[in-house]
mmCIF file of all heavy atoms in Angstrom:
data_model
loop_
_atom_site.group_PDB
_atom_site.id
_atom_site.type_symbol
_atom_site.label_atom_id
_atom_site.label_comp_id
_atom_site.label_asym_id
_atom_site.label_seq_id
_atom_site.Cartn_x
_atom_site.Cartn_y
_atom_site.Cartn_z
ATOM 1 N N ARG W 193 0.617 -0.521 -2.406
ATOM 2 C CA ARG W 193 0.659 0.814 -2.002
ATOM 3 C C ARG W 193 1.788 1.274 -1.224
ATOM 4 O O ARG W 193 2.246 2.397 -1.490
ATOM 5 C CB ARG W 193 -0.755 1.074 -1.277
ATOM 6 C CG ARG W 193 -0.951 2.705 -1.052
ATOM 7 C CD ARG W 193 -2.408 2.759 -0.416
ATOM 8 N NE ARG W 193 -2.305 3.613 0.855
ATOM 9 C CZ ARG W 193 -2.137 5.015 0.697
ATOM 10 N NH1 ARG W 193 -2.005 5.565 -0.459
ATOM 11 N NH2 ARG W 193 -2.038 5.769 1.742
ATOM 12 N N ASP W 194 2.371 0.505 -0.429
ATOM 13 C CA ASP W 194 3.543 0.846 0.315
ATOM 14 C C ASP W 194 4.625 1.056 -0.470
ATOM 15 O O ASP W 194 5.527 2.042 -0.137
ATOM 16 C CB ASP W 194 3.980 -0.385 1.332
ATOM 17 C CG ASP W 194 2.936 -0.411 2.600
ATOM 18 O OD1 ASP W 194 2.309 0.626 2.774
ATOM 19 O OD2 ASP W 194 2.754 -1.362 3.138
ATOM 20 N N ALA W 195 4.728 0.475 -1.724
ATOM 21 C CA ALA W 195 5.796 0.811 -2.488
ATOM 22 C C ALA W 195 5.540 1.941 -3.476
ATOM 23 O O ALA W 195 6.354 2.261 -4.418
ATOM 24 C CB ALA W 195 6.192 -0.496 -3.298
ATOM 25 N N SER W 196 4.395 2.626 -3.386
ATOM 26 C CA SER W 196 3.913 3.661 -4.347
ATOM 27 C C SER W 196 4.855 4.848 -4.291
ATOM 28 O O SER W 196 5.475 5.165 -3.409
ATOM 29 C CB SER W 196 2.534 3.939 -4.130
ATOM 30 O OG SER W 196 2.438 4.822 -3.139
ATOM 31 N N VAL W 197 4.742 5.619 -5.530
ATOM 32 C CA VAL W 197 5.450 6.782 -5.705
ATOM 33 C C VAL W 197 5.203 7.850 -4.433
ATOM 34 O O VAL W 197 6.233 8.291 -3.898
ATOM 35 C CB VAL W 197 5.119 7.443 -6.997
ATOM 36 C CG1 VAL W 197 5.844 8.781 -7.133
ATOM 37 C CG2 VAL W 197 5.418 6.608 -8.100
ATOM 38 N N ASN W 198 4.086 7.974 -4.155
ATOM 39 C CA ASN W 198 3.612 8.921 -3.152
ATOM 40 C C ASN W 198 4.073 8.719 -1.816
ATOM 41 O O ASN W 198 4.398 9.568 -1.072
ATOM 42 C CB ASN W 198 2.054 9.351 -3.257
ATOM 43 C CG ASN W 198 1.669 10.093 -4.495
ATOM 44 O OD1 ASN W 198 2.507 10.777 -5.073
ATOM 45 N ND2 ASN W 198 0.510 9.744 -4.874
ATOM 46 N N ASP W 199 4.058 7.383 -1.493
ATOM 47 C CA ASP W 199 4.419 6.921 -0.116
ATOM 48 C C ASP W 199 5.896 7.088 0.092
ATOM 49 O O ASP W 199 6.322 7.023 1.257
ATOM 50 C CB ASP W 199 3.881 5.676 0.067
ATOM 51 C CG ASP W 199 2.401 5.647 0.416
ATOM 52 O OD1 ASP W 199 1.955 6.825 0.594
ATOM 53 O OD2 ASP W 199 1.801 4.454 0.603
ATOM 54 N N ARG W 200 6.615 7.127 -0.906
ATOM 55 C CA ARG W 200 8.140 7.111 -0.740
ATOM 56 C C ARG W 200 8.510 8.637 -0.396
ATOM 57 O O ARG W 200 9.742 8.806 -0.203
ATOM 58 C CB ARG W 200 8.793 6.577 -2.066
ATOM 59 C CG ARG W 200 8.997 5.203 -1.915
ATOM 60 C CD ARG W 200 9.734 4.555 -3.131
ATOM 61 N NE ARG W 200 8.977 3.928 -4.138
ATOM 62 C CZ ARG W 200 8.713 4.244 -5.401
ATOM 63 N NH1 ARG W 200 9.545 5.249 -5.835
ATOM 64 N NH2 ARG W 200 7.944 3.482 -6.303
ATOM 65 N N ILE W 201 7.591 9.598 -0.496
ATOM 66 C CA ILE W 201 8.033 10.925 -0.206
ATOM 67 C C ILE W 201 7.946 11.202 1.258
ATOM 68 O O ILE W 201 6.947 10.818 1.920
ATOM 69 C CB ILE W 201 6.959 11.892 -0.916
ATOM 70 C CG1 ILE W 201 7.037 11.689 -2.471
ATOM 71 C CG2 ILE W 201 7.377 13.366 -0.545
ATOM 72 C CD1 ILE W 201 5.831 12.344 -3.063
ATOM 73 N N PRO W 202 9.020 11.559 1.865
ATOM 74 C CA PRO W 202 9.057 11.678 3.369
ATOM 75 C C PRO W 202 8.050 12.851 3.783
ATOM 76 O O PRO W 202 7.935 13.859 3.070
ATOM 77 C CB PRO W 202 10.506 12.220 3.672
ATOM 78 C CG PRO W 202 11.287 11.997 2.357
ATOM 79 C CD PRO W 202 10.363 11.930 1.334
ATOM 80 N N ASP W 203 7.447 12.725 4.990
ATOM 81 C CA ASP W 203 6.451 13.658 5.465
ATOM 82 C C ASP W 203 6.812 15.000 5.608
ATOM 83 O O ASP W 203 6.356 15.957 5.231
ATOM 84 C CB ASP W 203 6.006 13.187 6.947
ATOM 85 C CG ASP W 203 4.965 12.077 6.846
ATOM 86 O OD1 ASP W 203 4.575 11.796 5.815
ATOM 87 O OD2 ASP W 203 4.543 11.557 7.934
ATOM 88 N N GLY W 204 8.148 15.227 5.896
ATOM 89 C CA GLY W 204 8.768 16.461 6.122
ATOM 90 C C GLY W 204 9.178 17.262 4.918
ATOM 91 O O GLY W 204 9.484 18.372 4.900
ATOM 92 N N LEU W 205 9.057 16.597 3.766
ATOM 93 C CA LEU W 205 9.558 17.095 2.472
ATOM 94 C C LEU W 205 8.529 18.239 1.999
ATOM 95 O O LEU W 205 7.338 18.101 2.068
ATOM 96 C CB LEU W 205 9.642 16.053 1.392
ATOM 97 C CG LEU W 205 10.365 16.497 0.147
ATOM 98 C CD1 LEU W 205 11.961 16.359 0.539
ATOM 99 C CD2 LEU W 205 10.108 15.688 -1.001
ATOM 100 N N PHE W 206 9.084 19.311 1.392
ATOM 101 C CA PHE W 206 8.269 20.431 0.953
ATOM 102 C C PHE W 206 7.853 19.994 -0.512
ATOM 103 O O PHE W 206 8.739 19.609 -1.337
ATOM 104 C CB PHE W 206 9.039 21.686 0.914
ATOM 105 C CG PHE W 206 8.824 22.598 2.038
ATOM 106 C CD1 PHE W 206 9.727 22.948 2.815
ATOM 107 C CD2 PHE W 206 7.469 22.989 2.255
ATOM 108 C CE1 PHE W 206 9.567 23.743 4.025
ATOM 109 C CE2 PHE W 206 7.169 23.866 3.438
ATOM 110 C CZ PHE W 206 8.235 24.213 4.280
ATOM 111 N N LEU W 207 6.576 20.071 -0.939
ATOM 112 C CA LEU W 207 6.222 20.033 -2.263
ATOM 113 C C LEU W 207 5.475 21.254 -2.815
ATOM 114 O O LEU W 207 4.785 21.907 -1.978
ATOM 115 C CB LEU W 207 5.161 18.981 -2.307
ATOM 116 C CG LEU W 207 5.730 17.423 -2.071
ATOM 117 C CD1 LEU W 207 4.525 16.496 -1.999
ATOM 118 C CD2 LEU W 207 6.627 17.011 -3.139
ATOM 119 N N ALA W 208 5.673 21.632 -4.076
ATOM 120 C CA ALA W 208 4.943 22.686 -4.538
ATOM 121 C C ALA W 208 3.671 22.279 -5.282
ATOM 122 O O ALA W 208 3.638 21.267 -5.911
ATOM 123 C CB ALA W 208 5.798 23.433 -5.635
ATOM 124 N N CYS W 209 2.590 22.879 -4.990
ATOM 125 C CA CYS W 209 1.318 22.350 -5.573
ATOM 126 C C CYS W 209 1.470 22.648 -7.102
ATOM 127 O O CYS W 209 1.782 23.798 -7.672
ATOM 128 C CB CYS W 209 0.107 23.169 -5.035
ATOM 129 S SG CYS W 209 -1.390 22.914 -6.021
ATOM 130 N N PRO W 210 1.357 21.609 -8.045
ATOM 131 C CA PRO W 210 1.415 21.813 -9.282
ATOM 132 C C PRO W 210 0.558 22.863 -9.982
ATOM 133 O O PRO W 210 0.715 23.455 -11.088
ATOM 134 C CB PRO W 210 1.221 20.510 -10.006
ATOM 135 C CG PRO W 210 1.217 19.552 -8.874
ATOM 136 C CD PRO W 210 0.833 20.359 -7.702
ATOM 137 N N TYR W 211 -0.597 23.169 -9.346
ATOM 138 C CA TYR W 211 -1.628 24.155 -9.813
ATOM 139 C C TYR W 211 -1.349 25.517 -9.301
ATOM 140 O O TYR W 211 -1.046 26.396 -10.156
ATOM 141 C CB TYR W 211 -2.984 23.636 -9.554
ATOM 142 C CG TYR W 211 -4.030 24.628 -10.027
ATOM 143 C CD1 TYR W 211 -4.106 24.767 -11.546
ATOM 144 C CD2 TYR W 211 -4.651 25.566 -9.231
ATOM 145 C CE1 TYR W 211 -4.992 25.741 -11.941
ATOM 146 C CE2 TYR W 211 -5.536 26.517 -9.657
ATOM 147 C CZ TYR W 211 -5.663 26.582 -11.095
ATOM 148 O OH TYR W 211 -6.521 27.556 -11.596
ATOM 149 N N CYS W 212 -1.329 25.663 -7.918
ATOM 150 C CA CYS W 212 -1.234 27.011 -7.510
ATOM 151 C C CYS W 212 0.209 27.420 -7.041
ATOM 152 O O CYS W 212 0.478 28.663 -6.770
ATOM 153 C CB CYS W 212 -2.164 27.287 -6.321
ATOM 154 S SG CYS W 212 -1.651 26.379 -4.770
ATOM 155 N N GLY W 213 1.132 26.442 -6.919
ATOM 156 C CA GLY W 213 2.474 26.776 -6.605
ATOM 157 C C GLY W 213 2.812 26.899 -5.168
ATOM 158 O O GLY W 213 3.997 27.038 -4.881
ATOM 159 N N VAL W 214 1.747 26.874 -4.371
ATOM 160 C CA VAL W 214 2.032 27.138 -2.839
ATOM 161 C C VAL W 214 2.826 25.929 -2.284
ATOM 162 O O VAL W 214 2.648 24.791 -2.821
ATOM 163 C CB VAL W 214 0.732 27.100 -2.139
ATOM 164 C CG1 VAL W 214 0.790 26.838 -0.717
ATOM 165 C CG2 VAL W 214 0.123 28.640 -2.256
ATOM 166 N N GLN W 215 3.842 26.091 -1.504
ATOM 167 C CA GLN W 215 4.638 25.174 -0.894
ATOM 168 C C GLN W 215 4.048 24.557 0.289
ATOM 169 O O GLN W 215 3.462 25.078 1.102
ATOM 170 C CB GLN W 215 6.057 25.741 -0.424
ATOM 171 C CG GLN W 215 6.890 26.416 -1.534
ATOM 172 C CD GLN W 215 7.725 25.305 -2.238
ATOM 173 O OE1 GLN W 215 8.230 24.388 -1.504
ATOM 174 N NE2 GLN W 215 8.057 25.591 -3.499
ATOM 175 N N LEU W 216 4.023 23.147 0.350
ATOM 176 C CA LEU W 216 3.302 22.467 1.422
ATOM 177 C C LEU W 216 4.176 21.291 1.807
ATOM 178 O O LEU W 216 5.004 20.802 1.029
ATOM 179 C CB LEU W 216 1.972 21.852 0.847
ATOM 180 C CG LEU W 216 0.987 22.645 0.157
ATOM 181 C CD1 LEU W 216 0.320 21.870 -0.918
ATOM 182 C CD2 LEU W 216 -0.025 23.204 1.270
ATOM 183 N N TYR W 217 4.103 21.053 3.236
ATOM 184 C CA TYR W 217 4.702 19.757 3.736
ATOM 185 C C TYR W 217 3.908 18.580 3.037
ATOM 186 O O TYR W 217 2.753 18.650 2.890
ATOM 187 C CB TYR W 217 4.544 19.724 5.234
ATOM 188 C CG TYR W 217 5.543 20.419 5.944
ATOM 189 C CD1 TYR W 217 5.112 21.593 6.770
ATOM 190 C CD2 TYR W 217 6.814 20.167 5.869
ATOM 191 C CE1 TYR W 217 6.081 22.248 7.586
ATOM 192 C CE2 TYR W 217 7.834 20.912 6.531
ATOM 193 C CZ TYR W 217 7.378 21.977 7.431
ATOM 194 O OH TYR W 217 8.170 22.581 8.255
ATOM 195 N N ASN W 218 4.677 17.558 2.788
ATOM 196 C CA ASN W 218 4.011 16.389 2.216
ATOM 197 C C ASN W 218 2.893 15.949 3.166
ATOM 198 O O ASN W 218 1.885 15.666 2.809
ATOM 199 C CB ASN W 218 5.029 15.210 1.950
ATOM 200 C CG ASN W 218 4.351 14.130 1.299
ATOM 201 O OD1 ASN W 218 3.576 14.229 0.340
ATOM 202 N ND2 ASN W 218 4.679 12.888 1.782
ATOM 203 N N LYS W 219 3.083 16.018 4.450
ATOM 204 C CA LYS W 219 2.199 15.645 5.487
ATOM 205 C C LYS W 219 0.917 16.460 5.414
ATOM 206 O O LYS W 219 -0.097 15.886 5.583
ATOM 207 C CB LYS W 219 2.857 15.838 6.868
ATOM 208 C CG LYS W 219 2.246 15.052 7.997
ATOM 209 C CD LYS W 219 3.075 15.022 9.187
ATOM 210 C CE LYS W 219 3.119 16.428 9.863
ATOM 211 N NZ LYS W 219 3.893 16.597 11.052
ATOM 212 N N GLN W 220 1.025 17.631 4.933
ATOM 213 C CA GLN W 220 -0.217 18.479 4.852
ATOM 214 C C GLN W 220 -1.244 18.135 3.802
ATOM 215 O O GLN W 220 -2.387 18.508 3.793
ATOM 216 C CB GLN W 220 0.215 20.018 4.555
ATOM 217 C CG GLN W 220 0.712 20.761 5.849
ATOM 218 C CD GLN W 220 1.216 22.162 5.262
ATOM 219 O OE1 GLN W 220 2.269 22.237 4.604
ATOM 220 N NE2 GLN W 220 0.400 23.105 5.536
ATOM 221 N N LEU W 221 -0.734 17.371 2.952
ATOM 222 C CA LEU W 221 -1.579 16.851 1.848
ATOM 223 C C LEU W 221 -2.712 15.935 2.405
ATOM 224 O O LEU W 221 -3.697 15.735 1.768
ATOM 225 C CB LEU W 221 -0.827 16.131 0.683
ATOM 226 C CG LEU W 221 0.138 17.071 -0.040
ATOM 227 C CD1 LEU W 221 0.887 16.102 -1.050
ATOM 228 C CD2 LEU W 221 -0.529 18.264 -0.521
ATOM 229 N N GLY W 222 -2.394 15.228 3.573
ATOM 230 C CA GLY W 222 -3.338 14.476 4.206
ATOM 231 C C GLY W 222 -3.648 13.186 3.294
ATOM 232 O O GLY W 222 -2.938 12.861 2.346
ATOM 233 N N ARG W 223 -4.597 12.481 3.804
ATOM 234 C CA ARG W 223 -4.954 11.129 3.293
ATOM 235 C C ARG W 223 -5.380 11.315 1.839
ATOM 236 O O ARG W 223 -5.013 10.430 1.019
ATOM 237 C CB ARG W 223 -6.072 10.594 4.163
ATOM 238 C CG ARG W 223 -6.601 9.339 3.824
ATOM 239 C CD ARG W 223 -7.495 8.878 4.904
ATOM 240 N NE ARG W 223 -8.060 7.610 4.408
ATOM 241 C CZ ARG W 223 -9.356 7.675 4.079
ATOM 242 N NH1 ARG W 223 -10.169 8.527 4.134
ATOM 243 N NH2 ARG W 223 -9.783 6.516 3.495
ATOM 244 N N TYR W 224 -6.082 12.425 1.478
ATOM 245 C CA TYR W 224 -6.599 12.467 0.158
ATOM 246 C C TYR W 224 -5.603 13.104 -0.875
ATOM 247 O O TYR W 224 -5.759 13.200 -2.077
ATOM 248 C CB TYR W 224 -7.857 13.228 0.023
ATOM 249 C CG TYR W 224 -9.041 12.391 0.609
ATOM 250 C CD1 TYR W 224 -9.463 12.668 1.836
ATOM 251 C CD2 TYR W 224 -9.606 11.580 -0.257
ATOM 252 C CE1 TYR W 224 -10.506 11.988 2.425
ATOM 253 C CE2 TYR W 224 -10.794 10.830 0.343
ATOM 254 C CZ TYR W 224 -11.149 11.034 1.484
ATOM 255 O OH TYR W 224 -12.220 10.260 1.991
ATOM 256 N N ARG W 225 -4.418 13.647 -0.304
ATOM 257 C CA ARG W 225 -3.405 14.213 -1.085
ATOM 258 C C ARG W 225 -3.951 15.388 -1.855
ATOM 259 O O ARG W 225 -3.917 15.456 -3.249
ATOM 260 C CB ARG W 225 -2.713 13.187 -1.989
ATOM 261 C CG ARG W 225 -2.050 12.134 -1.100
ATOM 262 C CD ARG W 225 -1.002 11.404 -1.989
ATOM 263 N NE ARG W 225 0.114 12.153 -2.322
ATOM 264 C CZ ARG W 225 1.113 12.508 -1.515
ATOM 265 N NH1 ARG W 225 1.175 12.223 -0.188
ATOM 266 N NH2 ARG W 225 2.141 13.312 -2.001
ATOM 267 N N VAL W 226 -4.606 16.310 -1.062
ATOM 268 C CA VAL W 226 -5.042 17.446 -1.778
ATOM 269 C C VAL W 226 -4.320 18.799 -1.287
ATOM 270 O O VAL W 226 -4.076 18.845 -0.164
ATOM 271 C CB VAL W 226 -6.638 17.624 -1.430
ATOM 272 C CG1 VAL W 226 -7.230 18.969 -1.770
ATOM 273 C CG2 VAL W 226 -7.286 16.374 -2.069
ATOM 274 N N CYS W 227 -4.265 19.784 -2.204
ATOM 275 C CA CYS W 227 -3.677 21.061 -1.692
ATOM 276 C C CYS W 227 -4.586 21.761 -0.802
ATOM 277 O O CYS W 227 -5.637 21.935 -1.186
ATOM 278 C CB CYS W 227 -3.289 21.952 -2.979
ATOM 279 S SG CYS W 227 -2.646 23.504 -2.597
#
Side-chain angles (χ1 to χ4, degrees):
Chain W
R193 189 174 128 76
D194 285 338
S196 78
V197 176
N198 288 332
D199 280 357
R200 272 184 257 126
I201 304 169
D203 278 356
L205 195 84
F206 266 120
L207 291 173
C209 169
Y211 180 71
C212 73
V214 159
Q215 296 276 330
L216 304 147
Y217 279 120
N218 186 43
K219 202 170 62 180
Q220 281 177 284
L221 298 181
R223 185 166 169 253
Y224 287 101
R225 303 197 60 76
V226 168
C227 171

